[in-house]
Amino acid sequence: MAPAGRGRTEPVPGAGDARARYRRILRFAAWHLAVTWWFELLLPRIGLGKVAERTRARRMRKFAQRFHALAVELGGLMIKVGQFMSSRLDVLPPEITAELEGLQDEVPPVPFPAIRALAEAELGAPLEAVFAFVDEVPIAAASLGQAHRAQLLPGNAADTGLDSVVVKVQRPGIDAIIDVDLAALRKVGGWLGRLRFVSKRANVPALVEEFAKTSLEEIDYLNEAANSERFAADFVGDDRVTVPGVVWERTTRRVLTLEDVTAIKITDSQALLAAGIDPAQVAPVFASIMFDQLFASGFFHADPHPGNIFVTPTADPAAERPWRLTFIDFGMMGEVPAKTRSGLRKLLIAAASRDGKGLVSAIGDVGVLVPSTDTAELERAMTQLFARFGGMGFAELREVDPREFQDFAGEFGEVVRSLPFQLPENFLLIIRAMSLTSGVCSSLDARFNLWDSVEPYAGQLLREERGNLVKDVAAQALDTAAVTFGLPKRLDGLLTRLESGSLPVASPRLERRLARLVRAAQQVASAMIFGALLIAGAVVRSGDTVLGNVLMIVAVLPLLHVFWMGRRRR
């Protein structure tokens, strides 16, 4: 939620604006669909395909600029749509995503009388009866709601242990605006779904429903309050993280009252330095907290932009780390879903055996590829990827000539771009979270490299989930060696038992040992494949954004398997 200005305020929309808003969105979409049809379908059919190719980048950029202006003017979900599109690097060209990347959720604040009326209706009493004080000037205003500082009444403050709070109130009429915007978006999604060249690239109606689900969850403040407490529970006892307390007695679906935890904005380097905090030390801590959310608890903050993270100095300046990171705004959260975990078995078998065809099939099962996709070339690409980089460790991959990754991108980049990738929502949110994490860390330390945090975290994860993996594999090897050295004597006994007919068919102990060794090998293979794909994506991304991001997205899957297999072996 962006800081609110003290100038112009936005009037509460009336019901009569709904039809005009709906038609304007449809007119915008229809015009640009017509332009796309002209250039991308008609001109190539009459031999002018090169004209379309030469103008494509400029047309995409102009579309994004016009949508940017429309979103800022209309507000509502249009700003969210722009932010949503800017993160769909798997579907949209870089000309669009780059232009919309800077779209901020900043709108004029609603006049306080309208906010007061809605809050009093929700709380069932005048504000003076439930708060000792409410600041009429909002501290932040966004397309879906705005926030005001307040103080609890003495009795409530004594009960909750809180005094200063922030009251977050939905924008009046936002439910109707969201209904209109979603109706228009579903209409446009239906149009796009009928165009073959679009439907082969992405399942647009599914994208719209994915966006609708996220948006409707974001305006349910009871859901946000529950998310906040679940997030806090995941970090109980962790001195790196704090979360504002929820005042449930003053919270409804459209009003949320939270502890006021305002502190130093995480990217405010000057304020950090003034407080004696080195910004470069904040970056790796923030990255490790995000990794814990993504790969340990599986429940993560999907909107960790600088406005949602504070650095809070602690009372003990002599402590090793005299500050904590405070997270706010839990409306957009993500989970690593059960469906992904259920598809990991096939994925890990394919990855461990460097089976490109099996890996692509597993990726399809997870939902990354649109059903019925012809994946023969992608299978060949993954087979080549394994052949070139699959057997290398992390350190070896760092020494690989970057031109090898560039050659791979040149050979298979068009194959990847032409395939209809359709990332499930959890992957969209993972990409968004990691992209914002990388941006925040780079702002804190220009020399920060996310990989420098990924590598030790991956090692830590392996140690925590299955002890020291190297020692474990060594132990397995010693067990196997012991069996080998004892084979002559045991073979003599085996022959004797065969002759006497007393040999049992089953050997559960040997089966258990083999199973443990196979699982350990699978875990090592997944870790290596994770490193290969992540580094390849990071290197390739500078020259080919789409392919780079696809490789980095695929890297998430073997890392998730490392964690999952470690838990399974307990």
Side-chain angles (χ1 to χ4, degrees):
M1 188 174 286
R6 292 176 178 263
R8 181 171 68 93
T9 58
E10 184 176 274
V12 180
D17 297 332
R19 283 190 296 273
R21 182 184 183 91
Y22 178 79
R23 289 169 181 164
R24 183 163 182 197
I25 296 171
L26 292 188
R27 280 198 305 269
F28 179 90
W31 167 256
H32 287 283
L33 279 175
V35 170
T36 301
W37 173 83
W38 173 267
F39 281 96
E40 303 297 335
L41 293 180
L42 183 61
L43 292 187
R45 289 185 179 180
I46 60 176
L48 297 176
K50 291 185 178 180
V51 174
E53 291 178 10
R54 285 198 305 268
T55 62
R56 184 174 293 124
R58 179 175 56 82
R59 285 186 287 108
M60 294 295 102
R61 196 173 299 110
K62 182 174 287 189
F63 161 77
Q65 290 169 348
R66 289 176 174 170
F67 184 86
H68 189 290
L70 179 76
V72 170
E73 182 179 349
L74 292 182
L77 287 187
M78 291 300 101
I79 290 178
K80 297 292 183 183
V81 170
Q83 293 175 331
F84 182 87
M85 289 195 296
S86 72
S87 63
R88 291 305 321 219
L89 302 171
D90 60 310
V91 174
L92 299 173
E95 291 82 9
I96 292 178
T97 57
E99 180 66 33
L100 296 177
E101 196 171 29
L103 185 61
Q104 298 296 315
D105 193 355
E106 299 178 6
V107 297
V110 173
F112 187 71
I115 292 293
R116 171 190 284 275
L118 190 150
E120 291 180 345
E122 286 289 308
L123 298 173
L127 288 184
E128 292 77 10
V130 291
F131 295 105
F133 166 77
V134 178
D135 189 350
E136 295 188 6
V137 178
I139 58 174
S143 56
L144 304 184
Q146 64 189 51
H148 295 256
R149 281 200 173 93
Q151 286 185 329
L152 294 176
L153 293 169
N156 297 135
D159 292 341
T160 62
L162 305 175
D163 180 22
S164 298
V165 295
V166 171
V167 182
K168 185 175 176 181
V169 184
Q170 270 189 22
R171 295 179 78 85
I174 194 63
D175 287 338
I177 289 176
I178 288 177
D179 288 344
V180 170
D181 290 355
L182 289 179
L185 291 173
R186 288 184 172 110
K187 187 75 170 178
V188 175
W191 292 346
L192 292 171
R194 296 189 190 98
L195 300 176
R196 181 175 299 179
F197 78 94
V198 175
S199 62
K200 287 175 64 177
R201 182 74 176 121
N203 186 343
V204 179
L207 282 176
V208 173
E209 293 308 318
E210 172 185 342
F211 174 74
K213 177 178 179 291
T214 301
S215 300
L216 292 173
E217 287 179 351
E218 197 169 354
I219 64 169
D220 183 351
Y221 289 168
L222 291 174
N223 179 67
E224 180 175 343
N227 286 341
S228 174
E229 293 203 335
R230 178 179 173 185
F231 186 89
D234 286 342
F235 286 95
V236 166
D238 191 327
D239 64 0
R240 300 172 301 168
V241 179
T242 59
V243 178
V246 179
V247 183
W248 283 100
E249 297 81 0
R250 299 290 179 261
T251 295
T252 71
R253 194 180 73 83
R254 295 198 279 181
V255 175
L256 175 61
T257 304
L258 298 166
E259 175 186 3
D260 187 354
V261 292
T262 307
I264 304 171
K265 185 177 179 180
I266 190 170
T267 52
D268 190 345
S269 296
Q270 290 186 345
L272 290 173
L273 291 171
I277 301 171
D278 183 357
Q281 293 181 359
V282 176
V285 174
F286 175 56
S288 69
I289 291 170
M290 291 305 300
F291 292 150
D292 281 343
Q293 295 170 47
L294 288 164
F295 305 123
S297 70
F299 182 66
F300 62 93
H301 199 302
D303 196 23
H305 65 73
N308 285 339
I309 317 292
F310 294 121
V311 179
T312 305
T314 59
D316 183 9
E320 181 180 354
R321 189 183 59 253
W323 49 269
R324 297 179 179 181
L325 292 180
T326 302
F327 286 73
I328 64 170
D329 196 349
F330 298 92
M332 187 184 296
M333 303 296 291
E335 289 191 69
V336 180
K339 181 179 179 182
T340 300
R341 292 194 179 101
S342 69
L344 283 177
R345 179 172 299 191
K346 181 177 179 182
L347 186 76
L348 70 91
I349 292 174
S353 60
R354 301 184 193 177
D355 177 7
K357 183 176 181 179
L359 181 66
V360 173
S361 175
I363 291 171
D365 289 349
V366 172
V368 173
L369 290 173
V370 172
S372 72
T373 300
D374 183 2
T375 59
E377 284 300 305
L378 183 61
E379 291 167 5
R380 190 168 72 88
M382 288 301 170
T383 300
Q384 290 293 323
L385 181 70
F386 285 139
R388 294 190 191 185
F389 313 116
M392 298 182 181
F394 292 164
E396 293 174 293
L397 285 168
R398 282 184 165 181
E399 301 302 320
V400 172
D401 188 338
R403 286 175 294 185
E404 286 198 47
F405 296 118
Q406 296 287 355
D407 291 344
F408 182 85
E411 184 176 357
F412 296 107
E414 187 58 37
V415 171
V416 174
R417 281 191 294 272
S418 65
L419 287 172
F421 285 100
Q422 171 66 61
L423 300 186
E425 182 185 1
N426 62 294
F427 280 93
L428 162 68
L429 295 179
I430 287 172
I431 294 169
R432 176 180 176 82
M434 293 310 299
S435 176
L436 289 170
T437 299
S438 180
V440 168
C441 291
S442 297
S443 297
L444 290 165
D445 181 3
R447 298 167 299 175
F448 182 83
N449 184 343
L450 193 62
W451 173 247
D452 291 336
S453 291
V454 169
E455 184 178 18
Y457 183 83
Q460 172 192 336
L461 187 63
L462 287 170
R463 288 191 299 272
E464 289 178 353
E465 293 304 316
R466 193 57 185 90
N468 189 310
L469 187 61
V470 175
K471 290 182 180 178
D472 185 65
V473 173
Q476 303 290 338
L478 287 174
D479 286 345
T480 304
V483 172
T484 302
F485 288 130
L487 275 178
K489 185 181 294 185
R490 296 179 68 180
L491 183 60
D492 182 63
L494 174 64
L495 292 174
T496 301
R497 295 173 71 182
L498 275 172
E499 290 172 354
S500 64
S502 61
L503 179 69
V505 174
S507 181
R509 185 179 178 186
L510 181 59
E511 289 176 359
R512 285 195 300 271
R513 287 183 176 180
L514 287 173
R516 290 173 62 195
L517 191 57
V518 168
R519 286 196 294 269
Q522 290 171 343
Q523 218 172 354
V524 173
S526 291
M528 290 190 296
I529 291 164
F530 160 70
L533 292 174
L534 188 65
I535 292 179
V539 173
V540 171
R541 193 173 186 270
S542 61
D544 191 324
T545 303
V546 174
L547 178 57
N549 279 286
V550 168
L551 291 173
M552 294 176 76
I553 291 161
V554 172
V556 173
L557 300 177
L559 184 59
L560 287 174
H561 159 250
V562 170
F563 165 69
W564 175 80
M565 180 59 77
R567 291 179 63 87
R568 182 167 175 259
R569 293 174 68 192
R570 285 182 173 178

